[in-house]
Amino acid sequence: MDENKIESLKQEALAAAAAASNADELEQVRIRYLGRNGVLPAMMKGLKDAPPEARAGLGRAANDFKVSVQAAVEDRKSGLTSARQAGPAFDLSLPGRWRGVGSMHPISKVIEDATRIFGRIGFTVAEGPDIETAYRNFEALNTPAHHPSLDPGDTFWLEDGMLLRTQTSPVQIRVMERRKPPVRVITPGRCYRRDTTDATHSANFHQIEGLYVDAAVSLGDLKGTLEYFIREMMGAGVRIRFRPHFFPFTEPSVECDFSCHVCAGNGCRVCKNSGWIEIAGAGMVDPRVFRKVGYDPEAVTGFAFGMGVERIAMVKYGIQDIRMLYANDLRFLEQFR
Ligand code: PHE
């Protein structure tokens, strides 16, 4: 072993350290040149056998080898570490984090859709309070005291003749008390009845009321308006029909059905094999109601309708049980976006 040999081993070791591409490879280099059975201890052992006059030079060369190779290994080690730290800051393969954004409740969705659909033909939104006077909920709507809907068993009565409104129709009264005709509003809102809760009944529910009063509003206008709405809501192909009915505040009164959007009227489970689904109560505003709010029944006519929001949501989205709408089960609610 001479000084040239030591120098060339040193160059070899420095090159190997610099070429190590990861910590394992670098450790192999360190073991080969500096480890217990490596190049350096062999070199030191060789020193003893060297002629005395060469020892000092060989010793310096061996020491230089040791210091240089150690430094090169350390150098490369910190280079590899900082390379790892400086790597991509984002792991693009990680699944995204759920931001927990809510979804729109089907009841809100139906109300929002209906507001937009009626808005396109000039209806604006009017609102009234949940706590109503008996006058606006019944009397002004031509509902006499002996009418079955005044049965105390059906209405949540409060103190002083106040009640939780059983329908959104009292908002018709509020609007007409405040405004001169023409009037064209829808009034979405919450209603309350002392119903026992089951798959199709809930003690509180929502309605969308509509009211259109002007110089010459006809039953044909009512039919056209409801047909437009139901087609926008349920599908372009559906037809509607009117069946005679009775409401104290409209004359004539009708119930409105649409041809089942699932079976196109052929009969299926959704329409209970009838081909038709009931969607609204409606009629021409009774002259007595106009007189109550100070409108002249000789000068104006109008139509009104009321429909159940839960019912629309249930037929539209195929919801079997009204209680799903109030259970706040995320597995159900997340399906509505
Ligand atoms: N208020 C009626 C109900 O709750 C529905 C309705 C509204 C009927 C307007 C006619 C006109 O059943």
Side-chain angles (χ1 to χ4, degrees), residues 105 107-108 111 165 168 188-192 202 204-208 307-311 322 326:
H105 193 282
I107 290 176
S108 307
I111 291 176
R165 67 181 176 198
T168 42
R190 199 182 275 272
C191 305
Y192 305 81
S202 166
N204 75 76
F205 57 96
H206 298 72
Q207 287 187 335
I208 297 173
M307 40 203 175
V309 175
E310 281 79 354
R311 200 176 148 69
I322 198 170
Y326 302 106

Side-chain angles (χ1 to χ4, degrees), residues 167 169 172 193 207 209 247 249-250 281-283 304-306:
Q167 50 190 353
S169 302
Q172 287 186 39
R193 284 180 205 175
Q207 287 187 335
E209 191 90 5
F247 295 105
F249 37 90
T250 46
F305 57 82

Side-chain angles (χ1 to χ4, degrees), residues 231-300:
R231 284 183 176 171
E232 291 293 312
M233 197 68 165
M234 305 306 304
V238 302
R239 289 161 288 130
I240 68 165
R241 73 175 184 190
F242 280 176
R243 281 178 290 108
H245 199 71
F246 174 79
F247 295 105
F249 37 90
T250 46
E251 181 59 37
S253 300
V254 297
E255 273 190 324
C256 178
D257 305 331
F258 69 97
S259 58
C260 181
H261 58 301
V262 175
C263 63
N266 295 322
C268 69
R269 203 165 45 97
V270 174
C271 57
K272 300 199 181 71
N273 273 316
S274 74
W276 295 94
I277 297 175
E278 187 195 317
I279 189 111
M284 301 307 291
V285 180
D286 195 298
R288 288 170 189 245
V289 174
F290 281 147
R291 272 188 223 107
K292 290 273 190 198
V293 296
Y295 280 14
D296 178 2
E298 300 301 322
V300 292

